[in-house]
Amino acid sequence: MALHHSATTVGTSATLLLTIPDKSEAVAVLIFNDDNSAIWIGDSTVSTSGANVGIKISKSTTSTQFWMHAWDSLYGISAAGTAANAVATLYSSPF
């Protein structure tokens, strides 16, 4: 298994956070927001409000966990933008 991690600056338009590799089984993904501005996560159409509003992740001392599958992509957006590399993701995959 390979451990994958990244730190991303999330802007005011949908920002790609990660894509799960092809042939991966379902994997638990951890996401941590270390910025005072909340982020919203979802697909490439994610927004901070309206019909495409994503799941809100505020600054926290704990991470949020959810499951993703092969070729799933996760995007984030912030109403104000985040500090450099404030959003961290972590998951394990055989590839």
Side-chain angles (χ1 to χ4, degrees), residues 16-74:
L16 180 64
L17 299 176
L18 62 94
T19 299
I20 303 300
D22 184 26
K23 301 181 183 176
S24 290
E25 296 180 14
V27 295
V29 174
L30 298 175
I31 186 166
F32 179 78
N33 180 15
D34 194 31
D35 194 84
N36 289 327
S37 297
I39 64 166
W40 286 260
I41 59 171
D43 66 13
S44 62
T45 66
V46 68
S47 66
T48 60
S49 63
N52 293 326
V53 66
I55 296 171
K56 184 177 180 178
I57 299 180
S58 299
K59 181 173 181 164
S60 179
T61 58
T62 61
S63 59
T64 301
Q65 178 182 329
F66 52 93
W67 291 89
M68 294 179 67
H69 299 273
W71 289 111
D72 284 347
S73 292
L74 180 70

Side-chain angles (χ1 to χ4, degrees), residues 71-94:
W71 289 111
D72 284 347
S73 292
L74 180 70
Y75 290 80
I77 190 169
S78 174
T82 68
N85 301 318
V87 178
T89 58
L90 175 72
Y91 69 95
S92 181
S93 167

